[in-house]
């Protein structure tokens, strides 16, 4: 293989064949180096590709007098550390999101339990007939007609009593939650 300094000089002049040789020279050690830091072969390859894309795009700026080996491995190290920081931030954000979801779930559960208690208390304060009509409709699934026949009242009375009961319950729960 040609001298590395000569290949680097040709890359700086825009020689794509020399660039391929340079890439092939650093491919294995570059991936091994990145793998040692990030522990992910695919990501290590991506980092090597990113460094070489940068080298090709800035080939005119290459100074063959400087330590090219040091440059490549410094770039790879920096990319690897950036990747690790990004992964850490991502995990932190994921943890915070899951914690928020859990807290929200507990808050919602507490709110739902409070609403149920308020609703039961409000139901217990309904007049007896209205409470019975509500129970037959909501809990037992009886129709207006069935309730009217059972209680010997008109279907319209059943409907009016249910509307009043539901309005009262909604207002009681909303008022209690607002306080």
């Amino acid at each position: 293989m040609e001298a590395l300094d000569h290949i680097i000089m040709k890359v700086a002049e825009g020689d794509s064949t020399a660039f391929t040789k340079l890439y092939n020279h650093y491919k294995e050690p570059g991936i091994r180096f990145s793998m040692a830091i990030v522990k992910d072969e695919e990501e290590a390859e991506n980092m090597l590709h990113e460094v070489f894309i940068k080298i090709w795009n800035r080939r005119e700026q290459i100074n063959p007098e400087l330590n090219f080996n040091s440059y490549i491995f410094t770039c790879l190290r920096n990319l690897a550390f950036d990747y690790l920081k990004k992964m850490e931030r991502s995990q932190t954000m994921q943890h915070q999101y899951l914690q928020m979801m859990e807290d929200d779930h507990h808050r919602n559960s507490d709110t739902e339990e409070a609403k149920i208690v308020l609703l039961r208390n409000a139901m217990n304060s309904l007049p007896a007939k209205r409470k019975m009509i509500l129970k037959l409709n909501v809990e037992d699934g009886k129709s207006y007609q069935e309730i009217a026949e059972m209680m010997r009242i008109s279907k319209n009375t059943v409907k009016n009593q249910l509307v009043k009961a539901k309005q009262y319950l909604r207002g009681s729960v909303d008022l209690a939650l607002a306080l």
Side-chain angles (χ1 to χ4, degrees):
M1 183 172 166
E2 309 175 48
L4 195 54
D5 293 342
H6 187 258
I7 293 173
I8 293 169
M9 198 176 310
K10 284 184 154 185
V11 169
E13 294 168 358
D15 185 333
S16 60
T17 305
F19 181 74
T20 303
K21 287 178 186 177
L22 186 65
Y23 175 83
N24 289 333
H25 176 78
Y26 281 103
K27 182 179 179 183
E28 253 185 71
I31 291 174
R32 267 196 324 269
F33 177 79
S34 297
M35 272 279 297
I37 300 171
V38 298
K39 312 292 189 236
D40 181 338
E41 187 172 359
E42 190 174 322
E43 195 57 43
E45 282 185 47
N46 288 341
M47 289 174 192
L48 184 74
H49 293 163
E50 193 173 327
V51 168
F52 271 88
I53 288 170
K54 198 180 292 184
I55 289 168
W56 181 253
N57 289 336
R58 298 179 183 167
R59 62 189 173 272
E60 300 86 23
Q61 298 170 8
I62 294 175
N63 183 348
E65 302 295 316
L66 298 178
N67 187 340
F68 193 77
N69 195 52
S70 176
Y71 173 76
I72 293 248
F73 288 103
T74 300
C75 288
L76 287 171
R77 185 197 66 211
N78 291 343
L79 284 175
F81 287 165
D82 288 348
Y83 171 79
L84 292 176
K85 286 178 198 169
K86 187 170 120 185
M87 293 304 293
E88 187 178 329
R89 273 193 308 272
S90 175
Q91 287 174 342
T92 301
M93 286 174 57
Q94 187 178 29
H95 177 73
Q96 288 172 343
Y97 175 76
L98 290 173
Q99 188 64 46
M100 265 182 17
M101 293 300 291
E102 191 175 310
D103 292 348
D104 192 45
H105 174 71
H106 289 307
R107 260 194 310 279
N108 287 343
S109 294
D110 293 346
T111 303
E112 290 302 314
E113 287 176 28
K115 281 183 183 178
I116 290 170
V117 168
L118 291 170
L119 191 57
R120 281 194 184 131
N121 290 340
M123 283 175 69
N124 289 334
S125 68
L126 287 171
K129 264 191 177 176
R130 196 172 289 170
K131 184 177 172 181
M132 176 60 77
I133 291 170
L134 183 67
K135 181 190 175 306
L136 289 170
N137 180 253
V138 175
E139 292 179 14
D140 299 344
K142 303 281 186 199
S143 70
Y144 291 181
Q145 187 63 44
E146 292 172 320
I147 296 169
E149 290 171 7
M150 285 175 66
M151 296 186 74
R152 297 181 187 189
I153 53 177
S154 74
K155 186 176 167 183
N156 212 23
T157 301
V158 171
K159 181 179 177 185
N160 287 338
Q161 290 297 312
L162 282 171
V163 166
K164 288 178 182 178
K166 289 177 182 178
Q167 284 175 338
Y168 173 77
L169 293 175
R170 225 177 271 120
S172 295
V173 170
D174 289 347
L175 178 63
L177 287 176
L179 301 174

